[in-house]
Amino acid sequence: MAIHSTKKRKRGGVPTTDDTLDTSKPTAVFHPGPGRTHTLSVALPGSIIANAQTHDLKSTLAGQIARALAVFCVDEVIIFDDGQSAPPPNSGPHSGNGNPENPYSGYSNPNYFLTHLLSYLECPPHLRIHLFPLHPDLRTAGSLPSLDMPHHLRAHEWCQYREGVTIQDASTASNTSEPHTSKKKKRKPPPTPAPTTLVNAGLGNPVAVDGSIPPYTRVTVKLPTASAPADFQTATLVAEAVAPSEPREQAGYYWGYTVRSASSLSTVFTECAYDGGYDLTFGTSERGVSLSELAPLEAGRSAIQPHKHMLIVFGGVAGLEAAVKTDSELVDMGVLEAEKLFDYWVNLCPGQGSRTIRTEEAVWLGLMGLRGVVVGNGTNS
């Protein structure tokens, strides 16, 4: 099963024929493979937003991180509070500090700001108007680079799975007339139809799914056929609401990332949503071990143990060491050294030419450096 376009589009005035490939704009075609149940998670502090001085810089930083998450098929991102994001005393007219009429959070709550923008960018464009009301945090988000992930489908593209938003209960929408009353013998009321919910899945018409789901709820739907019906842009299709993880686990699609907030570094681990927690963890620091020394590739596969749920944690301006010192849970447990929290403590760029590596740069370096561990993972269950 592959995502494919059902109509041809001309781009940039480049003439094309049936025998000529239009290369005026590179287009990614997603070919699903075997189902994948192992996951990749990334954790980083929201305090990096506080280090950016203007709204445009804050938004651009969030966009760079979102691009890295999408390119390297990250399944979960956790934004944690490392205790380093206290707002400056005078943050300017858009700070939102102490002003309930201005909910802008770029200065007053950097953790929320980063969570907000990452969630917005992951959401398929046709759903954003329904799930994300107008908000000062998002005022320039539309100008950020598109993530263009497999679930960001166009209306003319077909995939058996789609993301959608519920719009109304079809059974109640079709029965809006007042019940007829009469003084004569009462008739037995007709049987109540099974509840059905209409979902805007980005097609020409809404699709119908069984069950009653509240309006404005994001759902993953599975359409009845792997290939596109001839009338799929005009017909009202019947679909099945499925778990958001099913496209990845059953069909092998990368289906975007979830966003989770954590109140501290320790809750990144203790509030993990996966059964058994993360079974392979990496902490990043310039005082860590070089990746080349840690896990050499053997016949194209990493020597690191197979895993089900892998986690990479990045620090902010002050590093993960500062996050450990401000985490009361870790201090009470006697954990004072950040490296003791992880299976591996790694240096992503030994011999760096700059005094510092910014977190948004470290995310790209880390995901690229550990790519062999991810794709060479021997556990697929």
Side-chain angles (χ1 to χ4, degrees), residues 183-196:
K183 294 182 179 179
K184 296 181 179 179
K185 183 179 179 180
K186 293 183 180 180
R187 296 181 179 179
K188 184 179 180 180
T192 304
T196 304

Side-chain angles (χ1 to χ4, degrees), residues 170-241:
S171 60
T172 58
S174 61
N175 186 22
T176 55
S177 60
E178 292 292 331
H180 177 72
T181 57
S182 173
K183 294 182 179 179
K184 296 181 179 179
K185 183 179 179 180
K186 293 183 180 180
R187 296 181 179 179
K188 184 179 180 180
T192 304
T196 304
T197 302
L198 295 179
V199 177
N200 174 7
L203 297 172
N205 287 324
V207 300
V209 299
D210 290 338
S212 180
I213 307 174
Y216 304 109
T217 300
R218 179 173 168 177
V219 295
T220 303
V221 298
K222 182 179 181 181
L223 296 164
T225 60
S227 57
D231 60 346
F232 80 93
Q233 291 183 329
T234 57
T236 299
L237 303 176
V238 176
E240 175 188 2

Side-chain angles (χ1 to χ4, degrees), residues 91-106:
S91 302
H94 300 294
S95 67
N97 295 335
N99 182 4
E101 297 180 358
N102 183 7
Y104 181 71
S105 64

Side-chain angles (χ1 to χ4, degrees), residues 292-317:
S292 60
E293 300 175 14
L294 180 69
L297 293 179
E298 298 178 355
R301 298 174 66 85
S302 171
I304 292 178
Q305 79 238 27
H307 62 274
K308 290 186 177 180
H309 304 295
M310 174 174 162
L311 171 69
I312 312 172
V313 183
F314 300 91
V317 176

Side-chain angles (χ1 to χ4, degrees), residues 258-288:
T258 60
V259 186
R260 174 164 69 90
S261 296
S263 59
S264 63
L265 178 57
S266 60
T267 56
V268 170
F269 299 90
T270 59
E271 296 178 359
C272 175
Y274 301 120
D275 291 340
Y278 305 107
D279 56 350
L280 179 62
T281 59
F282 293 85
T284 59
S285 170
E286 62 182 10
R287 290 164 286 279

